[in-house]
Amino acid sequence: MTTEPPRRRLVPAIALLLLAPWTAECSWGGFTLTGMPFVVLVLAPMYGGAALLIRETARRFGLGWPGIALLAAAFGVIQAGLVDQSLFNPGFLDDTEFADTRAAAEATLVPGLGFSARQAVDYVGNHVVLTVCAPIALVESYLGAGSRARPWLGRPGLTAAALLWLGGSLLVFADDGGRKNFLASPVQLAVATGVALALITAALLRHRHAGPPPDAPTPAGRPQTEAGPPRPLRPALVVAAAYVGSTIAPGWPGVVLALALAGIAAALLTRWSRRAGWGQRHVLATGSAGLVVAAALAYAVPTYAPASPAAALVGDVAISVIVLLLVGGAWWRVTAVRDRRRAAAPAGRPASPPA
């Protein structure tokens, strides 16, 4: 366990707890500026608790970012399939400004299970990109290299995070506005549970294969790979292209395209991240790319509840400013840490891989 003072470990944990609900529900334009604080406070236990538990589990067991992505996908299935059950409720968005998306969703219904493949890709994918990966990458980028790879919480903190997530999820499940008075069938619930457990199992098996964390120096006597990682802009563009490309085609062709793009992006990122020199700048660029795209697209997305054009625009501008400050500040912090490490390296001895 880390020897850092409890306060220094709790600050990033609280930051992640509050940032996750904002990136999950506000960063893409779902709420006006005045509604954002309420959304963050109400959904922090569920979204923030889940992001914190996933991050702590991954760092304790050395699951790496592929493990984080798998656990995030499991959370997406649990959230949409078991908690608010939006995945199985065809009328879940009927009382929102997204009611007109129902026809497109029903065009990709999976026979016998009563859920839209299009919505499954969107719901789970957004939880992976926005609810979990983006806030973890951002918060960790503000920390020193050692704190990024270490757990922040002890057993009492983990218990508190688990209770927050469980309590927040139960509140949404029990609230009429959360589950919309809908209850999925036993078969649907069993399928969602089975998929979530399979994803969790696959993630936990990652500890046997996960490589060193970003910025870890190459062990003595172990040769570095011939080719280093690409510049951080390239993995960011890969994520952005997959995120945007997943929305351009309707129906089953769009579902196939979205899954293909996600698979290609995952393969490229896994390959690049195994190269010596892959550092926190690459992690930040990769993790925040989807968030930047979501913020840019917010101007074309309506809010859940009707809002005036002025209120919607103010909210969208606020989103752009917040995302630019978050990502820009994280980039400055990572670069500053890298420069200090380089300056502190003994003369004639190469510094550890770049951040």
Side-chain angles (χ1 to χ4, degrees):
M1 176 62 65
T2 178
T3 58
E4 288 182 320
R7 186 179 68 176
R8 294 192 63 180
R9 291 185 279 118
L10 285 177
V11 167
I14 294 173
L16 181 57
L17 191 72
L18 297 176
L19 182 59
W22 188 86
T23 55
E25 292 291 352
C26 301
S27 65
W28 52 269
F31 295 91
T32 61
L33 179 60
T34 56
M36 291 180 190
F38 178 77
V39 171
V40 169
L41 290 177
V42 170
L43 297 182
M46 182 173 63
Y47 285 142
L52 193 53
L53 282 175
I54 289 171
R55 190 266 172 195
E56 291 297 292
T57 300
R59 295 302 176 235
R60 285 174 176 273
F61 292 97
L63 308 183
W65 278 97
I68 290 177
L70 287 169
L71 290 175
F75 165 73
V77 173
I78 293 171
Q79 173 60 31
L82 302 178
V83 180
D84 64 26
Q85 302 186 12
S86 55
L87 185 61
F88 301 114
N89 184 357
F92 187 79
L93 298 175
D94 284 355
D95 59 346
T96 72
E97 294 295 281
F98 297 92
D100 59 352
T101 64
R102 181 169 180 172
E106 291 179 345
T108 58
L109 283 178
V110 176
L113 293 178
F115 73 89
S116 165
R118 175 75 265 177
Q119 287 184 331
V121 169
D122 292 342
Y123 291 167
V124 176
N126 278 324
H127 279 307
V128 172
V129 175
L130 298 179
T131 306
V132 177
C133 290
I136 291 176
L138 280 168
V139 173
E140 288 189 344
S141 294
Y142 280 93
L143 306 177
S147 297
R148 296 171 193 152
R150 289 198 296 260
W152 300 331
L153 303 177
R155 290 183 179 179
L158 281 174
T159 301
L163 291 175
L164 276 174
W165 169 67
L166 183 60
S169 299
L170 288 175
L171 283 176
V172 170
F173 177 83
D175 182 66
D176 291 341
R179 192 166 38 87
K180 307 290 180 69
N181 292 315
F182 173 86
L183 187 63
S185 71
V187 172
Q188 290 172 326
L189 296 175
V191 169
T193 301
V195 172
L197 289 175
L199 290 168
I200 293 171
T201 301
L204 295 178
L205 291 176
R206 282 285 310 167
H207 78 280
R208 301 179 181 178
H209 311 289
D215 305 329
T218 303
R222 177 181 173 183
Q224 296 186 356
T225 55
E226 294 182 3
R231 293 184 180 276
L233 180 60
R234 189 183 298 180
L237 289 176
V238 167
V239 173
Y243 194 90
V244 174
S246 65
T247 65
I248 61 177
W252 284 105
V255 173
V256 173
L257 177 62
L259 294 175
L261 289 173
I264 292 171
L268 288 173
L269 294 174
T270 301
R271 179 181 178 184
W272 289 335
S273 65
R274 290 173 177 170
R275 296 179 180 179
W278 179 273
Q280 190 62 25
R281 290 195 308 160
H282 298 88
V283 171
L284 174 60
T286 304
S288 62
L291 177 63
V292 172
V293 172
L297 295 177
Y299 293 89
V301 176
T303 53
Y304 278 116
S308 68
L313 180 60
V314 169
D316 295 339
V317 172
I319 290 169
S320 297
V321 172
I322 292 171
V323 169
L324 288 175
L325 289 175
L326 285 171
V327 177
W331 187 265
W332 173 84
R333 170 66 176 166
V334 169
T335 302
V337 170
R338 180 197 61 174
D339 292 344
R340 284 200 299 268
R341 292 172 65 188
R342 286 180 173 178
R349 180 180 175 183
S352 55

